[in-house]
């Protein structure tokens, strides 16, 4: 059974940083698609960052609003996915979700940040950025 458990959400001032973690069990991170999404009240769930690893290559994809500020990564030894968020802005305020695609799914990179491509979801962690 696939389980994704996010942590690390908090309230921070604009310009600050946070690192979100997603503990993964029952799922192989390598050679499978994983991603971070976010959803603000009254808005659609938005793709933030995605990662696909086929050693030695790591492919990452980012939404336009977070490029250059957010970094997605993973730690194999800990079965954990991360999202490092720097230079946070009030518009980054949202609930952040970890997601995983069905194993061995081939995903075109243009679909990497589309929520319908992901079948497994965590419960979310709240990030609030104040100005």
């Amino acid at each position: 059974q696939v389980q994704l458990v996010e942590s690390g959400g908090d309230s921070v001032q604009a310009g600050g940083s946070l690192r979100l973690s997603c503990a993964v069990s029952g799922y192989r991170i390598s050679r499978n698609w994983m991603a971070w999404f976010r959803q603000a009240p009254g808005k659609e769930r938005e793709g933030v960052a995605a990662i696909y690893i086929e050693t030695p290559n790591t492919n990452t994809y980012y939404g336009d609003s977070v490029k250059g500020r957010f970094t997605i990564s993973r730690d194999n030894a800990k079965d954990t996915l991360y999202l490092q968020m720097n230079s946070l802005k009030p518009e980054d305020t949202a609930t952040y979700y970890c997601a995983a695609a069905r194993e061995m799914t081939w995903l075109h990179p243009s679909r990497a940040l589309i929520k319908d491509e992901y079948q497994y979801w965590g419960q979310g962690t709240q990030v609030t950025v104040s100005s």
Side-chain angles (χ1 to χ4, degrees):
Q1 182 180 358
V2 178
Q3 286 192 319
L4 308 175
V5 180
E6 303 96 333
S7 62
D10 205 346
S11 296
V12 297
Q13 296 272 348
S17 297
L18 280 176
R19 187 176 77 160
L20 305 183
S21 299
C22 174
V24 181
S25 60
Y27 187 87
R28 185 178 62 185
I29 295 177
S30 181
R31 298 189 68 182
N32 287 301
W33 286 88
M34 294 199 70
W36 287 95
F37 287 77
R38 67 186 181 186
Q39 188 166 18
K43 294 190 175 182
E44 290 285 318
R45 192 165 295 191
E46 172 192 20
V48 174
I51 187 167
Y52 179 81
I53 298 165
E54 187 166 17
T55 305
N57 300 313
T58 298
N59 301 292
T60 56
Y61 307 87
Y62 297 93
D64 289 341
S65 61
V66 306
K67 279 179 184 176
R69 300 188 299 123
F70 290 12
T71 303
I72 188 171
S73 64
R74 61 112 191 230
D75 184 328
N76 272 351
K78 296 182 179 179
D79 286 330
T80 302
L81 187 72
Y82 299 104
L83 184 69
Q84 178 67 41
M85 305 187 295
N86 298 327
S87 302
L88 282 161
K89 304 175 181 180
E91 50 264 44
D92 294 319
T93 295
T95 301
Y96 283 72
Y97 298 91
C98 176
R102 190 170 289 116
E103 289 190 282
M104 304 305 290
T105 295
W106 183 83
L107 199 61
H108 192 277
S110 65
R111 303 287 297 175
L113 297 177
I114 305 298
K115 64 181 185 298
D116 293 342
E117 300 291 352
Y118 294 86
Q119 289 73 40
Y120 305 109
W121 294 85
Q123 82 289 349
T125 187
Q126 179 67 36
V127 172
T128 303
V129 184
S130 57
S131 57

